[in-house]
């Protein structure tokens, strides 16, 4: 797929890319790139990594007469799953994406359908392209925050029933997003430096705007990561409190029945000369004394707020 950057992305033929009046955007497969690389005349003096299996991060590299790099974009449907991976190469004439996943083609179709520019430029296209990568991220992070709020309430109500596994899943997603944001910030800074003067100085501000937005997303993700750690600490604290309550109850029960055990053991000896054995009131008195011990112990523990 080939586009010229006009008031919007306008689909064109490969021959139209050679028109110097317009900058261009192209999407090719790795096989097409190897076939047409020389025709793009990008002045690439290194072997560009285009194999999806060899792409591991989002980055940009400045070459003698070009700027090349790769994208490794987590799927927003499964952040910890398989990334979308593709490469790119650009100069002042335009940018070429080398993509075998089809994701770039879908993004370009969306940009061509919804974006209109009063002052079209390669820089403005790159800004909209990068923005499209993170367009849903704020909503995703807000969704994580709401989930964590609910889990925190569940922990306060009953830590045993709380879904701590979901907290770990969210923490894993946020970890991958922070790495992704950090790489995008580095990419934006590389574009902003404009070492080869591919971009017009007045348009470099677009990359600054993108970096600012990425920094805010990175800070939000960092705050959520800290929130997940606080929730985990809260969970363990609540479990400790629950265990302490159980131990306190068991201690109180044991303490109450210790005197009763002593009485039972004392009168279980059945010595012949024990006077209570022949008294008609011996049995009721022992029952009353036992009840008084129980009631007295409960009152004592209640006043000490052990119950």
């Amino acid at each position: 797929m080939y586009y010229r950057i006009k008031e919007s992305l306008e689909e064109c033929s490969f021959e139209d890319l050679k028109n110097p009046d317009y900058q261009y955007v192209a999407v090719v497969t790795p096989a097409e790139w190897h076939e047409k690389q020389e025709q793009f005349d990008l002045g690439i003096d290194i072997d560009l990594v285009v194999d999806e299996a060899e792409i591991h991060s989002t980055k940009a590299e400045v070459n003698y007469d070009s700027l090349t790099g790769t994208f490794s974009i987590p799927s927003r449907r499964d952040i910890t799953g398989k990334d979308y991976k593709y490469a790119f190469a650009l100069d002042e004439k335009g940018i070429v994406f080398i993509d075998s996943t089809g994701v770039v083609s879908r993004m370009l179709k969306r940009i061509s359908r919804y974006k209109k520019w009063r002052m079209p430029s390669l820089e403005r296209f790159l800004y909209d392209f990068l923005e499209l990568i993170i367009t849903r991220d704020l909503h995703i992070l807000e969704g994580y925050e709401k989930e964590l709020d609910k889990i925190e309430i569940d922990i306060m109500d009953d830590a045993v029933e709380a879904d701590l596994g979901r907290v770990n899943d969210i923490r894993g997603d946020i970890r991958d997003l922070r790495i992704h944001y950090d790489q995008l910030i580095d990419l934006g800074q590389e574009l902003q430096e404009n070492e080869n003067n591919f971009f017009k100085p007045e348009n470099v501000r677009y990359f600054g705007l993108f970096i600012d937005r990425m920094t805010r997303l990175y800070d939000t993700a960092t705050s959520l990561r800290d929130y997940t750690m606080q929730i985990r600490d809260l969970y363990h604290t609540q479990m400790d409190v629950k265990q302490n309550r159980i131990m306190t109850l068991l201690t109180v029960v044991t303490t109450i029945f210790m005197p009763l055990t002593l009485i039972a053991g004392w009168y279980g000896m059945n010595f012949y000369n024990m006077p209570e054995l022949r008294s008609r009131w011996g049995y009721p008195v022992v029952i009353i004394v036992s009840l008084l011990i129980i009631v007295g112990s409960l009152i004592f523990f209640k006043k000490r707020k052990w119950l």
Side-chain angles (χ1 to χ4, degrees):
M1 299 180 68
Y2 309 105
Y3 296 89
R4 289 185 296 190
I5 301 176
K6 302 177 74 172
E7 285 72 18
S8 62
L9 282 184
E10 182 182 278
E11 197 163 354
C12 64
S13 65
F14 181 76
E15 288 71 21
D16 292 331
L17 301 185
K18 300 178 181 180
N19 186 340
D21 295 333
Y22 301 101
Q23 294 172 304
Y24 67 83
V25 179
V27 185
V28 297
T29 64
E32 291 172 333
W33 169 254
H34 290 305
E35 179 184 346
K36 298 181 179 180
Q37 177 179 350
E38 298 298 329
Q39 300 180 48
F40 283 109
D41 191 26
L42 289 170
I44 298 176
D45 55 353
I46 62 171
D47 290 331
L48 178 60
V49 176
V50 298
D51 186 359
E52 184 179 352
E54 298 180 5
I55 297 175
H56 306 291
S57 63
T58 298
K59 62 180 182 179
E61 296 180 357
V62 178
N63 307 307
Y64 178 76
D65 197 24
S66 64
L67 194 151
T68 61
T70 57
F71 283 93
S72 182
I73 309 298
S75 169
R76 288 346 188 230
R77 296 180 180 178
D78 183 12
I79 293 174
T80 57
K82 185 178 179 180
D83 290 358
Y84 295 112
K85 299 180 179 182
Y86 46 91
F88 72 91
L90 67 83
D91 62 8
E92 70 280 0
K93 300 186 294 296
I95 182 170
V96 180
F97 291 101
I98 303 95
D99 175 36
S100 60
T101 66
V103 64
V104 175
S105 297
R106 293 193 296 271
M107 293 172 69
L108 296 185
K109 287 180 179 179
R110 183 170 179 178
I111 291 174
S112 66
R113 186 179 299 118
Y114 296 109
K115 294 294 182 179
K116 303 292 181 182
W117 304 306
R118 290 187 178 181
M119 301 178 64
S121 65
L122 178 60
E123 300 88 337
R124 182 54 200 263
F125 162 77
L126 288 172
Y127 173 78
D128 287 333
F129 181 83
L130 294 172
E131 283 280 300
L132 190 57
I133 292 175
I134 59 170
T135 184
R136 295 177 52 236
D137 286 21
L138 184 59
H139 176 71
I140 291 173
L141 294 177
E142 288 175 348
Y144 285 153
E145 185 174 12
K146 291 179 181 179
E147 279 193 76
L148 293 173
D149 287 341
K150 183 180 182 301
I151 293 173
E152 182 179 19
I153 294 173
D154 292 341
I155 290 175
M156 295 301 295
D157 292 340
D158 187 356
V160 176
E161 298 297 328
D163 188 4
L164 191 63
R166 180 54 183 160
V167 176
N168 294 331
D169 291 341
I170 292 175
R171 190 167 183 267
D173 288 352
I174 292 172
R175 178 197 62 234
D176 289 352
L177 283 176
R178 287 180 73 251
I179 295 173
H180 174 53
Y181 295 155
D182 192 37
Q183 293 175 357
L184 283 175
I185 290 173
D186 290 342
L187 174 67
Q189 290 172 343
E190 198 70 61
L191 296 174
Q192 188 180 38
E193 287 179 6
N194 195 20
E195 184 175 333
N196 287 343
N197 294 317
F198 291 151
F199 310 123
K200 296 179 181 178
E202 63 270 20
N203 290 339
V204 173
R205 61 187 176 87
Y206 291 123
F207 304 130
L209 292 174
F210 176 73
I211 293 171
D212 290 342
R213 182 171 180 186
M214 288 308 312
T215 301
R216 291 193 296 272
L217 284 174
Y218 182 87
D219 292 341
T220 300
T222 301
S223 298
L224 286 177
R225 182 201 60 177
D226 295 340
Y227 190 17
T228 61
M229 297 174 66
Q230 293 172 8
I231 289 178
R232 292 176 64 182
D233 291 341
L234 176 63
Y235 174 82
H236 293 301
T237 299
Q238 290 297 105
M239 292 299 294
D240 290 341
V241 169
K242 185 178 181 65
Q243 187 175 10
N244 289 338
R245 287 175 180 172
I246 294 174
M247 294 302 298
T248 300
L249 179 60
L250 292 175
T251 302
V252 168
V253 171
T254 302
T255 304
I256 290 174
F257 280 90
M258 281 179 61
L260 303 182
T261 303
L262 176 63
I263 293 174
W266 186 273
Y267 287 101
M269 293 184 292
N270 294 327
F271 288 121
Y272 181 78
N273 290 323
M274 292 179 69
E276 292 86 351
L277 294 178
R278 298 180 180 84
S279 173
R280 63 179 298 184
W281 299 107
Y283 183 64
V285 168
V286 171
I287 293 177
I288 292 171
V289 170
S290 299
L291 291 175
L292 289 175
I293 291 173
I294 294 173
V295 173
S297 298
L298 291 174
I299 293 173
F300 173 77
F301 291 131
K302 197 72 174 178
K303 287 185 177 181
R304 297 299 295 269
K305 296 184 179 179
W306 294 351
L307 284 176

